[in-house]
Amino acid sequence: MRPSGRDLSEMRAVSIETNVTKHAEGSCLIKIGDTHVLCTASLEDRVPPFIKGSGLGWVTAEYGMLPRSTGSRMRREATTGKQGGRTVEIQRLIGRSLRAGVDRVALGERQITVDCDVLQADGGTRCASITGGWVALRLAVNKLMKTGAIVTDPLITPVAAVSCGLYAGQAVLDLDYAEDSEAGVDGNFILRGDGRLIEVQMSAEGATFDRKQMDQLMDLAEAGVAQLVAAQKAAVA
Amino acid sequence: MRPSGRDLSEMRAVSIETNVTKHAEGSCLIKIGDTHVLCTASLEDRVPPFIKGSGLGWVTAEYGMLPRSTGSRMRREATTGKQGGRTVEIQRLIGRSLRAGVDRVALGERQITVDCDVLQADGGTRCASITGGWVALRLAVNKLMKTGAIVTDPLITPVAAVSCGLYAGQAVLDLDYAEDSEAGVDGNFILRGDGRLIEVQMSAEGATFDRKQMDQLMDLAEAGVAQLVAAQKAAVA
Amino acid sequence: MRPSGRDLSEMRAVSIETNVTKHAEGSCLIKIGDTHVLCTASLEDRVPPFIKGSGLGWVTAEYGMLPRSTGSRMRREATTGKQGGRTVEIQRLIGRSLRAGVDRVALGERQITVDCDVLQADGGTRCASITGGWVALRLAVNKLMKTGAIVTDPLITPVAAVSCGLYAGQAVLDLDYAEDSEAGVDGNFILRGDGRLIEVQMSAEGATFDRKQMDQLMDLAEAGVAQLVAAQKAAVA
Amino acid sequence: MRPSGRDLSEMRAVSIETNVTKHAEGSCLIKIGDTHVLCTASLEDRVPPFIKGSGLGWVTAEYGMLPRSTGSRMRREATTGKQGGRTVEIQRLIGRSLRAGVDRVALGERQITVDCDVLQADGGTRCASITGGWVALRLAVNKLMKTGAIVTDPLITPVAAVSCGLYAGQAVLDLDYAEDSEAGVDGNFILRGDGRLIEVQMSAEGATFDRKQMDQLMDLAEAGVAQLVAAQKAAVA
Amino acid sequence: MRPSGRDLSEMRAVSIETNVTKHAEGSCLIKIGDTHVLCTASLEDRVPPFIKGSGLGWVTAEYGMLPRSTGSRMRREATTGKQGGRTVEIQRLIGRSLRAGVDRVALGERQITVDCDVLQADGGTRCASITGGWVALRLAVNKLMKTGAIVTDPLITPVAAVSCGLYAGQAVLDLDYAEDSEAGVDGNFILRGDGRLIEVQMSAEGATFDRKQMDQLMDLAEAGVAQLVAAQKAAVA
Amino acid sequence: MRPSGRDLSEMRAVSIETNVTKHAEGSCLIKIGDTHVLCTASLEDRVPPFIKGSGLGWVTAEYGMLPRSTGSRMRREATTGKQGGRTVEIQRLIGRSLRAGVDRVALGERQITVDCDVLQADGGTRCASITGGWVALRLAVNKLMKTGAIVTDPLITPVAAVSCGLYAGQAVLDLDYAEDSEAGVDGNFILRGDGRLIEVQMSAEGATFDRKQMDQLMDLAEAGVAQLVAAQKAAVA
């Protein structure tokens, strides 16, 4: 029934290649099916004003799509004079989600910026960015711990995300673009490695939903994130 | 236990004053406790390019806060050169939520823009904007139906929203600013008049949550929205 | 002869409601007929660089119109990327006019920002903003004097403004929108409470004028401002 | 008493050199003392949307200062991302003033843009721009009439402007920078060749004024503009 | 003598992987040593106004660097509100160079946009972008010819580019970042497949040069470009 | 053969008038035929962050064209919100070229900004800006040396620039606009007073070129710059 022929509760193939750029403190290329995102974690000099002198750290994220990561070429945001509303929404979500897995005291007064740049898009880019972004962050923190800059591990738990939705009236896991553009309800689920919830966003697009359907999507999301966390752990091992 | 002395499941006082400006096709001033939002619905000449010739209508929203609607003065967005990320996120949510209650075929090829301007803020401004925005929209559509411009009512159902969250470890309804700034988990729930879900956003801030807590928040939200829908119906009667 | 049926030298009804928002140090909602402006005065942390260390204070103003304060919806300035020329002109005028009534030594090295936001427009919004803005400023200064932050009253005199013009060849007081859009000559007159002049702007639009007509407009303006100053004094009493 | 040694009612030396650039339809370099403004009038292809199909013409103006036209270098507006408030105010004034001398029916549906670029500033740049801008406009219209593109002369009257103010308590004509920066009251007076008034702006800066002083400034302005109009006529003869 | 141990006239390893994204009409990932650039060619709907109705085609280019493609993280251009001067300069060069190899009549009235996004930078990104950009363009044109949309091949010749410079007083081929940041003279040489010159830019940075040195750099460039053209031909074969 | 009737190796008339504005530390109006550029050199308070505390000086440049310096009016860059790509490219070239003639140690930790504003354009504005910009810089430095602020002359050598190109298949010196817009190859050559090369840019527009033609253009450029340097020396003598 699904355009890809997958089962309702079947994820796309997941691959996470680490250390893909020689400059970043941590990096990976995450592929969730045909969605490919390059994630880098950079230890940055500048610290946001609101943490100066607090002893607390900060993790933030930026998101971008290459102009031809999509089916038809999008206008480059650098030429339009600003990031679009969707971009801003997504990078705020990525940053918020990653911070939920960070002990900011243990991190100490420093900022790590996670850049998620979509090389090829096929649905679920924000979830792939969170999942891959955590891997880049983990690798950057490992490097800081190896040098002794950080003593206590500030990464409490993996953070991973998956989208689920109602497609042709059925709850399905890990929507690809063909499904996403037709789904009546679309949700993003960000969880910790231990299954606790960080953020849930469910949104009707042309349909509505009830609490029973919400529960079905939650069940799928928990199963999907468990697979992603396993892939994260394997990648950083 | 709540700073305001309210019960856990008690909403703030709700008041909706209609037809508050002589120019707009529909308008109201909604007050949820000390949160006051002026909502206007304007029939606009310009139609977004993607609906031209489709016969379908469009409802969109814009959101703003007066600089001193808040405890300390915020910079005016018109002087900063762009709308901030939070503003963009909120106005996209308002537009999406209102459209979920609209039959775009019945509306016909025209655009209605709902402006939600916060005169005084005390938490829950996006939910108040959705609830009040629907009232303004309803009044504007009534006017169009009275003139015969629209024949079939395009407003399928009321749309209303409320925030709930975990405050001091307890699920509470309709967070005010004092609660919102301390809440470990904060959620926005947008529902139709018949109780079906349009959008759910739950986000951990410094805490995490589990599915049982999610259910508690959902229960509160359903009760709260029922009260808001009653107030909407009374206002437009 | 006037669209509203008013006498040539008759002002619209004036009402000034004070303390309309719980956050601002001073605030009022001024109504000059159907022109409604919400004015707030905010004591601000940031001080302009040119007064740092001078011991002198600063009063500045910002002006905005809600998108549907007008007959047809205007584009929101926050979305256009900048304030339009008219807005900039008006807020510079408001700030300059209010400062003319302020003893900047007595104010001390602090900034008060007066925000004038038009909720409903029917002509004369800049004059209403100055008149209402002074009331908000007066209330904010009163608060600072009550706390002892300011010892000598820095407000030398009330400041108020009215528009006059040549409509259908006749000098009329307090133009409403119907008159303003047809007037051959349009003037704004800003005066102190003692009748001394702060700023005079007279501008021909499609007509020209002579010194005798200038004198007629001045006479009307003096009478109008006297009524406004009385309303200001009553409001802050 | 005046820094320049001039009498109270003495203007600076006025020189208007015409046809200073080979490209513009009309141009002049106007020098009022050490204030030098290059004015060009360009017949433009683009017509503002609001006159399309109306048969009416439009005259508009733009104003700029070279970065080192002033005592200390100013930031180039092209690098700041927008024209400042003062620039916008001035160019709106120039355009409005010039249009007051134009018969827009006779001009026909075309736009002439007058650019006023300050090469060297010493006070009174906006008045010099209006006076010189009219000369450039006159020359451009002459060219259009010679070609037969325009049949009836659309320039009803010369338009010229001068500043007057209260300096050291005395009414003086044609303020230079040394006076302007110290003046208690500063006014700009835009008149037609026949002495009728187009725009009057008087503004207190640190002082106030009364109607008798207003009259003194008006007397000076009338005398000054008469000299400027004579210079304009000589230049275009 | 060179930091990399290369001979003076030795290029870095060149690799060109084609068809790296499923969406673009043509694409490649070009690696010149540690400089990695993702190039895509997109057939675009929008055509620049100046070719409308001319029957001529257009090829344009855009360039970007991922924030952490460099040793320390750069600010994302989409967040700064505009493309920097260096970016603009480079993308104009890429577009101009590629157009020099295009028969715009044979291309027909359509636009192809070549995006060059630097994933990892180690000097010579603009030259790699031109060389890889031509491969992407070639592949996109092949696709258009296969479908019959284009009949005569519009690509007259390969276009490739290499940098040469004076490093430690010696002429060297294909500068990497370590050399580029120390070079006294730095040049970019864009040539056609037949060796004719399209663009030459030589620039002294802290040194100057003479015509003999210019000739040495030209000799190196010709040899380098010959190797690049061979690699291009192999890639698109 | 040339539109102007000049010989292939004949420059246009060169004139350099110095000290043309009373405010700038150094200034000149350079005329190369009908290309007229006003150049000012300003000693600026602000110093770029990267030289703070280094003891080194900085010379930078900005470039602009008056809207009607060209055959048809261009849009004013201050109104478009940013400098165009061509402007940015040119002002970077001017600054780089002038710095190549400056001993930044001898200059000391201060910034001089050279503004080049085109009053009338007829081709070759960037070369005229460099040549005239050096004169303004020389005069400003002379002033600093006279006051003793600078002891050792930081200007090692004059810097001048000329354009050459292939017009109708022939190498010609100092292209005017009529030639520039038709030239198959266009080059800019920036040299020191002693003939050493600072920057060479040759670019094919619709044609290509070979090394023999490059040599012909170089020969012309050397002869042309020698004349310009003589004019510079005469102007500052």
Side-chain angles (χ1 to χ4, degrees):
Chain A
M1 185 213 74
R2 303 177 71 173
S4 60
R6 280 187 281 151
D7 286 342
L8 299 180
S9 61
E10 188 183 346
M11 290 211 45
R12 292 176 284 179
V14 176
S15 116
I16 305 177
E17 185 187 350
T18 56
N19 300 319
V20 293
T21 151
K22 71 173 190 174
H23 298 302
E25 281 72 27
S27 68
C28 76
L29 175 61
I30 186 167
K31 298 184 180 176
I32 309 285
D34 280 342
T35 290
H36 302 176
V37 185
L38 182 59
C39 305
T40 59
S42 299
L43 186 65
E44 282 215 280
D45 284 348
R46 62 185 179 113
V47 178
F50 56 85
I51 67 163
K52 273 195 187 148
S54 70
L56 297 173
W58 192 246
V59 171
T60 187
E62 288 188 9
Y63 170 92
M65 300 183 84
L66 293 196
R68 195 55 196 281
S69 58
T70 45
S72 58
R73 186 177 180 274
M74 298 185 313
R75 218 177 139 192
R76 189 177 288 267
E77 286 190 325
T79 69
T80 62
K82 62 172 180 175
Q83 296 182 302
R86 179 186 168 275
T87 295
V88 168
E89 233 179 87
I90 290 176
Q91 68 192 12
R92 283 161 59 95
L93 172 65
I94 300 170
R96 209 162 57 223
S97 298
L98 293 178
R99 280 193 298 278
V102 173
D103 175 346
R104 291 174 54 207
V105 175
L107 180 57
E109 197 167 318
R110 52 174 59 83
Q111 171 166 302
I112 298 178
T113 298
V114 175
D115 285 288
C116 301
D117 285 275
V118 179
L119 304 188
Q120 187 175 278
D122 188 35
T125 62
R126 80 189 71 188
C127 291
S129 296
I130 292 167
T131 306
W134 184 84
V135 170
L137 179 61
R138 172 76 272 174
L139 294 171
V141 168
N142 286 354
K143 194 167 288 183
L144 286 169
M145 292 186 72
K146 206 173 258 174
T147 66
I150 295 180
V151 179
T152 312
D153 186 359
L155 295 191
I156 309 162
T157 168
V159 173
V162 76
S163 75
C164 305
L166 298 179
Y167 173 76
Q170 298 254 297
V172 299
L173 176 62
D174 187 27
L175 303 169
D176 56 29
Y177 180 75
E179 292 165 334
D180 191 31
S181 53
E182 297 292 324
V185 174
D186 180 17
N188 295 296
F189 301 84
I190 298 100
L191 282 82
R192 304 205 319 185
D194 60 6
R196 289 191 64 83
L197 295 155
I198 291 171
E199 184 138 349
V200 170
Q201 299 182 332
M202 272 173 279
S203 179
E205 319 217 349
T208 50
F209 55 105
D210 58 26
R211 288 177 65 173
K212 199 182 139 199
Q213 291 168 317
M214 230 174 105
D215 272 332
Q216 292 174 333
L217 297 180
M218 284 296 313
D219 289 340
L220 287 173
E222 286 181 349
V225 165
Q227 294 175 50
L228 290 168
V229 171
Q232 288 176 319
K233 286 182 176 165
V236 301
Chain B
M1 186 214 73
R2 301 179 72 174
S4 60
R6 280 187 281 151
D7 286 341
L8 298 180
S9 62
E10 186 183 346
M11 291 210 46
R12 291 176 284 180
V14 175
S15 115
I16 305 177
E17 185 188 349
T18 56
N19 299 319
V20 292
T21 151
K22 72 172 188 174
H23 298 302
E25 280 73 25
S27 69
C28 76
L29 175 62
I30 185 167
K31 299 184 180 177
I32 309 285
D34 280 342
T35 289
H36 302 175
V37 184
L38 182 59
C39 305
T40 59
S42 298
L43 186 65
E44 283 214 278
D45 284 348
R46 62 186 178 113
V47 179
F50 56 86
I51 66 164
K52 274 196 186 147
S54 70
L56 296 173
W58 191 247
V59 171
T60 188
E62 288 189 7
Y63 170 91
M65 299 183 85
L66 294 196
R68 195 54 195 281
S69 59
T70 45
S72 58
R73 187 178 180 273
M74 298 185 314
R75 219 179 137 190
R76 188 178 288 267
E77 286 189 324
T79 70
T80 63
K82 62 172 180 175
Q83 295 183 303
R86 179 185 167 276
T87 296
V88 169
E89 234 179 86
I90 291 176
Q91 69 192 11
R92 283 161 58 94
L93 172 64
I94 301 170
R96 209 161 58 224
S97 299
L98 294 178
R99 280 192 299 276
V102 172
D103 176 347
R104 292 174 52 206
V105 175
L107 180 55
E109 197 167 317
R110 52 174 61 84
Q111 171 167 298
I112 298 178
T113 297
V114 176
D115 286 287
C116 301
D117 286 275
V118 179
L119 304 188
Q120 186 175 280
D122 188 35
T125 61
R126 80 189 69 188
C127 291
S129 296
I130 291 167
T131 307
W134 184 83
V135 169
L137 180 61
R138 173 76 272 173
L139 295 170
V141 168
N142 285 354
K143 192 166 289 180
L144 287 167
M145 293 186 71
K146 206 172 259 173
T147 65
I150 296 179
V151 179
T152 311
D153 186 359
L155 296 191
I156 309 161
T157 167
V159 174
V162 77
S163 76
C164 305
L166 297 179
Y167 174 75
Q170 300 254 296
V172 299
L173 175 63
D174 186 25
L175 303 169
D176 56 31
Y177 180 75
E179 292 166 333
D180 191 32
S181 53
E182 297 292 323
V185 173
D186 180 17
N188 294 297
F189 301 83
I190 297 99
L191 283 81
R192 305 208 314 188
D194 60 7
R196 288 191 64 84
L197 294 155
I198 291 171
E199 183 138 349
V200 170
Q201 298 182 332
M202 272 173 281
S203 178
E205 319 217 349
T208 50
F209 56 102
D210 58 27
R211 290 176 65 172
K212 201 183 137 199
Q213 290 168 318
M214 231 174 104
D215 273 332
Q216 292 174 333
L217 297 180
M218 285 296 313
D219 288 340
L220 288 174
E222 287 182 348
V225 165
Q227 294 175 50
L228 290 167
V229 170
Q232 288 176 318
K233 287 182 176 164
V236 302
Chain C
M1 182 213 76
R2 302 178 71 174
S4 60
R6 282 187 279 150
D7 286 342
L8 298 180
S9 61
E10 186 183 347
M11 292 212 43
R12 291 176 284 180
V14 176
S15 115
I16 305 177
E17 185 187 350
T18 56
N19 300 318
V20 292
T21 152
K22 73 171 188 175
H23 297 303
E25 280 72 25
S27 69
C28 76
L29 175 61
I30 186 167
K31 298 184 179 175
I32 308 286
D34 279 342
T35 289
H36 301 176
V37 185
L38 182 58
C39 305
T40 60
S42 298
L43 186 65
E44 283 216 279
D45 284 348
R46 62 186 180 113
V47 179
F50 56 86
I51 67 163
K52 273 195 188 149
S54 69
L56 297 172
W58 191 246
V59 171
T60 187
E62 288 187 10
Y63 170 92
M65 299 184 85
L66 293 196
R68 196 54 196 280
S69 58
T70 44
S72 58
R73 187 177 180 273
M74 298 185 313
R75 219 180 137 190
R76 188 177 289 266
E77 286 190 325
T79 69
T80 63
K82 61 170 181 176
Q83 295 183 302
R86 179 185 168 276
T87 296
V88 169
E89 233 179 86
I90 290 176
Q91 68 191 13
R92 283 162 59 96
L93 171 64
I94 301 171
R96 208 160 58 224
S97 299
L98 293 178
R99 280 194 299 278
V102 173
D103 175 346
R104 291 174 55 207
V105 175
L107 180 56
E109 196 167 318
R110 51 174 60 84
Q111 170 167 303
I112 298 178
T113 298
V114 175
D115 285 288
C116 301
D117 286 275
V118 179
L119 304 188
Q120 186 175 279
D122 188 35
T125 62
R126 79 189 70 190
C127 292
S129 296
I130 291 168
T131 306
W134 184 84
V135 170
L137 179 61
R138 173 75 272 174
L139 295 171
V141 168
N142 285 355
K143 194 166 286 181
L144 286 168
M145 293 186 71
K146 207 173 258 174
T147 66
I150 295 179
V151 180
T152 312
D153 187 359
L155 295 191
I156 309 161
T157 167
V159 174
V162 77
S163 75
C164 306
L166 297 180
Y167 173 75
Q170 299 255 298
V172 298
L173 175 63
D174 187 26
L175 304 168
D176 56 31
Y177 179 75
E179 292 166 333
D180 191 31
S181 53
E182 296 292 325
V185 173
D186 180 16
N188 295 296
F189 301 84
I190 299 102
L191 283 82
R192 304 205 319 184
D194 60 7
R196 287 191 66 84
L197 294 155
I198 291 172
E199 183 138 349
V200 169
Q201 298 182 332
M202 272 173 282
S203 179
E205 319 216 351
T208 49
F209 55 103
D210 58 27
R211 289 177 67 172
K212 197 181 142 203
Q213 290 167 317
M214 229 173 106
D215 272 332
Q216 291 173 333
L217 297 180
M218 283 298 311
D219 288 340
L220 287 174
E222 286 181 350
V225 165
Q227 293 175 51
L228 290 168
V229 170
Q232 288 176 318
K233 286 182 176 166
V236 302
Chain D
M1 185 214 73
R2 302 178 74 173
S4 59
R6 280 187 281 151
D7 286 341
L8 298 180
S9 61
E10 186 183 347
M11 291 210 44
R12 291 176 283 179
V14 175
S15 114
I16 305 177
E17 186 187 350
T18 56
N19 300 319
V20 292
T21 152
K22 72 172 189 175
H23 298 302
E25 280 73 26
S27 69
C28 76
L29 175 61
I30 185 168
K31 299 185 179 176
I32 308 286
D34 280 342
T35 290
H36 302 176
V37 185
L38 182 59
C39 304
T40 59
S42 298
L43 185 65
E44 283 216 278
D45 284 348
R46 61 185 179 113
V47 178
F50 56 86
I51 66 164
K52 274 194 186 147
S54 70
L56 297 173
W58 191 247
V59 171
T60 187
E62 287 189 8
Y63 171 92
M65 299 183 84
L66 294 196
R68 195 55 195 281
S69 58
T70 45
S72 57
R73 186 177 181 274
M74 298 186 312
R75 218 177 139 192
R76 189 177 287 268
E77 286 189 325
T79 70
T80 63
K82 61 171 181 176
Q83 295 183 303
R86 179 185 168 275
T87 295
V88 169
E89 235 180 84
I90 290 176
Q91 69 192 12
R92 283 160 59 93
L93 172 65
I94 301 170
R96 208 162 58 224
S97 299
L98 293 178
R99 280 192 299 277
V102 172
D103 175 347
R104 291 173 55 205
V105 175
L107 179 56
E109 197 168 317
R110 52 174 61 85
Q111 171 168 300
I112 298 179
T113 298
V114 176
D115 285 287
C116 302
D117 285 275
V118 179
L119 304 188
Q120 187 175 278
D122 188 36
T125 62
R126 79 189 69 190
C127 291
S129 296
I130 291 167
T131 306
W134 184 83
V135 170
L137 180 61
R138 173 75 272 175
L139 295 170
V141 168
N142 286 353
K143 193 167 288 182
L144 286 168
M145 293 185 72
K146 205 172 259 175
T147 65
I150 295 180
V151 179
T152 312
D153 187 358
L155 295 192
I156 309 161
T157 167
V159 174
V162 76
S163 76
C164 305
L166 298 179
Y167 174 75
Q170 300 254 297
V172 298
L173 175 63
D174 187 26
L175 302 169
D176 56 30
Y177 180 74
E179 292 165 334
D180 191 31
S181 53
E182 297 292 324
V185 173
D186 180 17
N188 295 296
F189 301 84
I190 298 100
L191 283 81
R192 304 207 316 186
D194 60 6
R196 287 191 64 83
L197 295 155
I198 291 172
E199 182 137 351
V200 170
Q201 296 183 333
M202 273 173 279
S203 178
E205 319 217 350
T208 50
F209 55 103
D210 58 27
R211 290 177 66 172
K212 198 183 140 201
Q213 291 168 317
M214 233 174 102
D215 273 331
Q216 291 174 333
L217 297 180
M218 284 296 313
D219 289 340
L220 288 174
E222 287 181 349
V225 164
Q227 294 175 50
L228 292 168
V229 170
Q232 288 176 318
K233 287 181 176 165
V236 302
Chain E
M1 184 213 77
R2 302 178 73 173
S4 60
R6 281 187 280 150
D7 286 341
L8 297 179
S9 61
E10 186 182 346
M11 292 211 44
R12 291 175 284 179
V14 175
S15 116
I16 305 177
E17 185 186 350
T18 56
N19 299 319
V20 293
T21 151
K22 71 172 190 176
H23 298 302
E25 280 73 25
S27 69
C28 75
L29 175 61
I30 185 166
K31 298 185 181 177
I32 309 286
D34 280 342
T35 289
H36 302 176
V37 185
L38 182 59
C39 304
T40 59
S42 298
L43 186 66
E44 284 215 278
D45 284 348
R46 62 187 179 110
V47 179
F50 56 85
I51 66 165
K52 275 196 186 146
S54 69
L56 297 172
W58 191 246
V59 171
T60 188
E62 287 188 7
Y63 170 91
M65 300 183 83
L66 293 196
R68 194 55 195 281
S69 58
T70 45
S72 58
R73 185 177 182 274
M74 299 186 312
R75 221 180 137 189
R76 189 178 287 267
E77 286 189 325
T79 70
T80 63
K82 62 172 179 176
Q83 295 183 303
R86 179 185 167 276
T87 296
V88 169
E89 233 179 86
I90 290 176
Q91 68 192 12
R92 283 161 59 95
L93 171 65
I94 301 170
R96 208 160 59 223
S97 300
L98 294 178
R99 280 193 299 277
V102 172
D103 175 347
R104 292 174 54 207
V105 175
L107 180 56
E109 196 167 319
R110 52 174 60 83
Q111 171 167 300
I112 298 179
T113 297
V114 175
D115 285 287
C116 301
D117 286 275
V118 179
L119 304 188
Q120 187 175 278
D122 188 36
T125 61
R126 81 189 69 190
C127 291
S129 296
I130 291 167
T131 307
W134 184 83
V135 170
L137 180 61
R138 174 75 272 174
L139 295 170
V141 168
N142 286 354
K143 193 167 288 181
L144 286 168
M145 293 185 71
K146 205 171 261 174
T147 64
I150 296 179
V151 179
T152 311
D153 186 358
L155 295 192
I156 309 161
T157 167
V159 174
V162 77
S163 75
C164 305
L166 297 180
Y167 174 75
Q170 299 254 298
V172 298
L173 175 62
D174 187 26
L175 303 169
D176 57 29
Y177 179 76
E179 292 166 334
D180 190 30
S181 52
E182 297 292 324
V185 173
D186 180 17
N188 295 297
F189 302 84
I190 298 100
L191 283 81
R192 304 205 318 185
D194 61 7
R196 287 192 64 85
L197 294 155
I198 291 171
E199 182 138 350
V200 170
Q201 298 183 333
M202 272 173 281
S203 178
E205 318 217 351
T208 49
F209 55 104
D210 58 28
R211 290 176 66 172
K212 198 182 141 204
Q213 290 168 318
M214 232 174 104
D215 272 332
Q216 292 174 334
L217 297 180
M218 284 296 314
D219 290 339
L220 288 174
E222 287 181 348
V225 163
Q227 294 175 51
L228 291 168
V229 169
Q232 288 176 319
K233 287 181 176 165
V236 302
Chain F
M1 184 214 72
R2 303 178 71 174
S4 59
R6 280 187 282 150
D7 286 342
L8 298 181
S9 61
E10 185 183 347
M11 292 212 43
R12 292 176 284 179
V14 176
S15 114
I16 305 178
E17 185 188 349
T18 56
N19 300 318
V20 293
T21 151
K22 71 172 190 175
H23 297 302
E25 281 72 25
S27 68
C28 76
L29 175 61
I30 186 167
K31 299 184 180 176
I32 309 285
D34 280 342
T35 289
H36 302 176
V37 185
L38 182 59
C39 304
T40 59
S42 298
L43 185 66
E44 283 215 279
D45 284 348
R46 62 186 179 112
V47 179
F50 56 86
I51 67 162
K52 274 195 188 146
S54 69
L56 296 172
W58 192 247
V59 171
T60 188
E62 288 188 9
Y63 169 92
M65 300 183 84
L66 293 196
R68 195 54 196 281
S69 58
T70 44
S72 58
R73 186 177 181 274
M74 299 185 312
R75 218 178 139 191
R76 188 177 288 267
E77 285 189 326
T79 69
T80 64
K82 62 172 181 176
Q83 296 182 302
R86 178 185 168 276
T87 295
V88 169
E89 234 180 85
I90 290 176
Q91 67 191 13
R92 282 161 60 94
L93 172 65
I94 301 170
R96 210 161 57 226
S97 299
L98 293 179
R99 280 193 299 278
V102 172
D103 176 347
R104 291 174 55 208
V105 175
L107 180 56
E109 197 167 318
R110 52 174 59 83
Q111 171 167 301
I112 297 178
T113 298
V114 175
D115 285 288
C116 302
D117 286 275
V118 179
L119 304 188
Q120 187 174 278
D122 188 35
T125 62
R126 78 189 72 190
C127 291
S129 296
I130 291 167
T131 306
W134 184 83
V135 170
L137 180 61
R138 173 76 271 174
L139 295 171
V141 168
N142 286 354
K143 193 166 288 182
L144 286 168
M145 293 186 71
K146 206 172 257 175
T147 66
I150 294 180
V151 179
T152 311
D153 187 357
L155 295 191
I156 308 163
T157 168
V159 173
V162 77
S163 76
C164 305
L166 298 180
Y167 173 76
Q170 300 254 299
V172 299
L173 175 63
D174 186 28
L175 304 169
D176 57 29
Y177 179 75
E179 292 166 333
D180 191 31
S181 53
E182 296 293 323
V185 174
D186 180 17
N188 295 296
F189 301 84
I190 298 102
L191 283 81
R192 303 207 318 186
D194 61 7
R196 287 191 65 83
L197 295 155
I198 291 172
E199 183 138 349
V200 170
Q201 297 182 333
M202 272 173 280
S203 179
E205 318 216 351
T208 50
F209 55 104
D210 58 27
R211 289 177 66 172
K212 197 182 141 202
Q213 290 167 317
M214 231 174 104
D215 273 331
Q216 292 174 334
L217 298 180
M218 284 296 314
D219 289 340
L220 288 174
E222 287 181 350
V225 165
Q227 294 176 49
L228 291 168
V229 170
Q232 287 176 318
K233 286 183 176 164
V236 302

